[in-house]
Amino acid sequence: LEAIKLHARNVGVRLGAAEKHAQDAEMRAQAAELHAQNADKRLCQDVQAAKMQAAERHAQDAEIRAQDAEKRLLDAEETISRLKTAAEGQMASSRRLQVEIEAIRSFSLESCCDQLIGCLKNRGGRVA
């Protein structure tokens, strides 16, 4: 009977130790799960931060491209203005040349002689 009691006590102690071991294992499992959840949260935060940084870089790149496009537009407007001014100068020059050409076309030796005779008569001279 004493041997049975001792054996039962030993079994009880081992059972208590096994229960304690099981509780410790359960606590370690819960701690590992909490650790995994925290790691998952950190990973999500890191992913969000990376997405934000990528979006910021994309926005900065877009701003630089917009500034470049605006500069090219201003350069193009300046070029157009210079070309327009040059074209207006060419048109004015062309009109002056056209007037001179028409004056030369309308000039004739006969009209020149008539004008000379008129001038001489006005001065009281005789024309042969």
Side-chain angles (χ1 to χ4, degrees):
L1 186 62
E2 277 307 310
I4 293 174
K5 285 182 184 179
L6 182 62
H7 181 66
R9 205 174 317 133
N10 286 340
V11 168
V13 168
R14 283 195 301 259
L15 183 60
E19 286 177 351
K20 173 76 171 130
H21 183 69
Q23 288 174 352
D24 288 348
E26 176 79 22
M27 286 177 23
R28 283 193 302 274
Q30 289 174 353
E33 185 176 338
L34 183 62
H35 182 71
Q37 288 173 354
N38 288 337
D40 188 46
K41 285 178 186 176
R42 283 192 306 273
L43 179 62
C44 288
Q45 291 170 346
D46 291 346
V47 167
Q48 283 301 105
K51 285 180 181 179
M52 296 267 298
Q53 289 173 348
E56 287 173 3
R57 281 192 307 271
H58 182 68
Q60 289 170 350
D61 291 345
E63 178 68 24
I64 289 169
R65 286 192 304 274
Q67 289 172 353
D68 289 345
E70 186 176 353
K71 184 181 182 314
R72 286 191 307 271
L73 178 62
L74 290 173
D75 290 346
E77 287 174 347
E78 183 180 326
T79 300
I80 289 169
S81 176
R82 278 188 276 128
L83 290 172
K84 184 178 176 185
T85 301
E88 288 170 351
Q90 291 293 326
M91 294 284 287
S93 178
S94 176
R95 284 190 297 271
R96 282 192 304 274
L97 287 173
Q98 191 65 34
V99 168
E100 289 177 17
I101 289 169
E102 289 302 317
I104 291 170
R105 283 185 182 157
S106 67
F107 178 81
S108 70
L109 188 54
E110 187 177 321
S111 67
C112 183
C113 288
D114 289 344
Q115 287 179 4
L116 183 57
I117 291 169
C119 285
L120 290 173
K121 283 184 179 179
N122 286 339
R123 291 186 160 200
R126 295 183 119 204
V127 179

